Amino acid sequence: MIRANEHYTKLKASYLFSDIARRVAAFSKENPHRDIIRLGIGDVTRALPSVCIDAFHRAVDEMASDTTFRGYGPEQGYDFLRSSIAHVDFQSRGVTIEADEIFISDGAKCDTGNIQELFAGDITIAIPDPVYPVYVDTNVMAGRTGENSEGRYGGLVYLESTAANGFVPALPDKPVDLIYLCFPNNPTGATATREQLKLWVNYAREHKALILFDAAYECFIRDASLPHSIFEIEGANEVAIEFRSLSKSAGFTGTRCAFTVIPKKCRVFDGQGSPVALHPLWLRRQSTKFNGVSYPVQRAAEAVYTPEGQRQCTELVDYYLKNAALILERMTALGFTCAGGRNAPYIWIKSTMDSWALFDLLLAKAGVVCTPGSGFGKCGESYIRISAFNSYENVEKALDRIGTALS
Ligand code: MLT
């Protein structure tokens, strides 16, 4: 008898953003003439930088000729892209990361979800609350948790990120093996200083733990004192993996290109406590289960790392940061306590209402979609997240409508 993976039954019925999309679709169906402004899922709205489009066209043309056509590429990505990333994102900032420590993929969501299959089933996992739901859900699917009770899965160690700690959680009070961190943070928009990251790196070294560091939003950092990579912290290359994405930095949400950095020194341990390098394990996993990102997409991604590509991407990100600043200013003026929005595209807004009730109210009265904070965890209750990914005009319009709806 074929049996289902019963761990799936522990999950909430649907993924947070699918749930929101379903509710918005139902509202649209009932109110076909309402203009809806989407500030929910962090999906970019502006066109790809022109350097990427040009590179894309050239690569597609190469595919049109037998002499320049490419079939399967290296599963871990073409060297032209890995070298450009190593140079621009790391070496030029004084961080020692080599091209062959970078694995190109089709998304940080997939990588953060897939990476956990490299770890034993009975490890202890520390997960921030609130958190990007993929980290939790993929571990639930893998059977590393108990049942969900009152918004918390048994077996997980939750790291509470609250206004009291500036949304940067404290070290766990019991030993953990795997730690998920994301800075600039989704959903709170909080950032971590070098000193704060150093505490985590030291913890991981001392406790033989591993940090999964999601840096998908590093391109929004404008404060020069903040670290962009966990590998800026001494000793992190033995205890951390970093996930990056071109989704927000270059508008690739629909184009799909990301990468995961696994330093050759990064280690886990076997049952006898001997170190096991993670790099060959991930290479083995990717070459078995993944056939790489398409050649034209990797050429478009390579263009991001040219001087003109960097200029165009900075302009793109600055556009969304201007939206974020407006959201922060206007929601604060409406009397809300807000976090994030400065070195991040998300504004984390505290309300006196239940998260879903405020979501429903803003949708019904303002035609604005946000994300209910409780969808990111128990500590997100009574918060909403507003994303800066839309046109400036739509963001202004949405804020006007929110002002009217709440007055
Ligand atoms: C979000 O809105 O949290 C993100 O867009 C989700 C993602 O990047 O997968």
Side-chain angles (χ1 to χ4, degrees):
M1 176 176 73
I2 176 68
R3 290 181 51 220
N5 175 352
E6 287 172 7
H7 301 304
Y8 274 64
T9 61
K10 298 175 193 158
L11 292 165
K12 288 218 190 81
S14 64
Y15 180 57
L16 172 63
F17 293 103
S18 317
D19 194 8
I20 293 169
R22 201 176 34 75
R23 288 182 186 226
V24 175
F27 178 82
S28 270
K29 201 169 167 200
E30 277 167 32
N31 303 273
H33 303 297
R34 289 292 296 277
D35 165 41
I36 294 170
I37 301 177
R38 290 175 165 76
L39 302 176
I41 191 166
D43 191 6
V44 295
T45 55
R46 288 178 73 79
L48 289 181
S50 65
V51 284
C52 299
I53 294 295
D54 294 343
F56 230 143
H57 280 299
R58 283 194 301 273
V60 169
D61 285 343
E62 283 182 57
M63 300 300 262
S65 158
D66 289 348
T67 55
T68 49
F69 170 80
R70 312 252 184 160
Y72 290 128
E75 294 89 356
Q76 61 275 29
Y78 283 102
D79 194 48
F80 60 76
L81 178 56
R82 302 170 90 194
S83 305
S84 302
I85 293 171
H87 176 64
V88 176
D89 275 346
F90 298 99
Q91 292 159 6
S92 71
R93 291 178 180 275
V95 180
T96 316
I97 290 294
E98 303 301 331
D100 62 358
E101 296 178 310
I102 291 167
F103 293 82
I104 309 299
S105 77
D106 60 351
K109 176 180 180 175
C110 324
D111 284 357
T112 51
N114 293 332
I115 197 84
Q116 41 87 25
E117 70 181 63
L118 303 190
F119 312 124
D122 57 354
I123 54 169
T124 306
I125 302 172
I127 296 219
D129 178 1
V131 78
Y132 180 43
V134 172
Y135 314 154
V136 178
D137 287 2
T138 52
N139 278 293
V140 175
M141 290 168 179
R144 285 202 188 84
T145 72
E147 296 295 331
N148 191 321
S149 163
E150 294 178 16
R152 292 259 165 109
Y153 286 98
L156 293 181
V157 174
Y158 285 93
L159 306 170
E160 299 202 342
S161 308
T162 61
N165 59 26
F167 304 103
V168 179
L171 297 174
D173 53 12
K174 54 181 99 152
V176 299
D177 306 309
L178 185 67
I179 302 152
Y180 286 81
L181 295 177
C182 170
F183 292 107
N185 188 260
N186 179 15
T188 66
T191 51
T193 63
R194 229 168 270 278
E195 290 62 40
Q196 286 167 324
L197 288 189
K198 208 178 280 179
L199 286 178
W200 285 101
V201 168
N202 290 344
Y203 176 94
R205 295 179 67 86
E206 221 169 279
H207 292 83
K208 296 190 163 178
L210 182 78
I211 298 170
L212 300 181
F213 190 73
D214 187 346
Y217 298 94
E218 66 79 32
C219 60
F220 291 89
I221 294 175
R222 291 291 175 271
D223 177 340
S225 70
L226 294 171
H228 287 243
S229 166
I230 194 152
F231 301 122
E232 290 178 44
I233 310 302
E234 205 186 325
N237 60 351
E238 289 173 24
V239 297
I241 292 178
E242 183 163 302
F243 303 93
R244 293 265 189 118
S245 168
L246 276 73
S247 282
K248 317 290 153 82
S249 61
F252 270 50
T253 53
T255 306
R256 311 306 309 151
C257 194
F259 59 93
T260 289
V261 187
I262 308 189
K264 298 232 183 70
K265 285 191 175 163
C266 187
R267 86 299 171 259
V268 286
F269 296 90
D270 67 15
Q272 284 69 49
S274 302
V276 176
L278 268 179
H279 186 281
L281 297 191
W282 187 243
L283 179 62
R284 184 70 172 84
R285 192 266 173 210
Q286 290 298 80
S287 39
T288 305
K289 296 196 179 183
F290 185 55
N291 261 334
V293 174
S294 82
Y295 174 69
V297 168
Q298 291 195 58
R299 281 295 185 197
E302 181 194 23
V304 165
Y305 291 94
T306 59
E308 178 55 16
Q310 291 287 284
R311 194 195 62 73
Q312 291 183 12
C313 288
T314 302
E315 200 177 284
L316 185 67
V317 170
D318 280 347
Y319 181 93
Y320 294 123
L321 278 170
K322 192 174 155 208
N323 290 351
L326 184 70
I327 298 167
L328 184 58
E329 182 201 313
R330 297 274 298 273
M331 292 305 287
T332 306
L334 285 174
F336 291 98
T337 302
C338 304
R342 283 201 177 87
N343 294 283
Y346 298 125
I347 296 83
W348 188 239
I349 299 162
K350 174 91 175 97
S351 101
T352 49
M353 291 175 71
D354 165 82
S355 294
W356 278 105
L358 185 53
F359 169 91
D360 286 336
L361 183 147
L362 294 182
L363 182 59
K365 287 199 166 177
V368 173
V369 181
C370 66
T371 307
S374 56
F376 297 103
K378 206 171 172 172
C379 292
E381 184 48 82
S382 87
Y383 282 86
I384 55 163
R385 189 194 76 177
I386 294 190
S387 131
F389 296 110
N390 211 311
S391 68
Y392 189 75
E393 295 69 31
N394 274 348
V395 168
E396 265 188 318
K397 208 197 298 179
L399 291 164
D400 288 345
R401 289 199 208 155
I402 291 175
T404 310
L406 297 178
S407 66

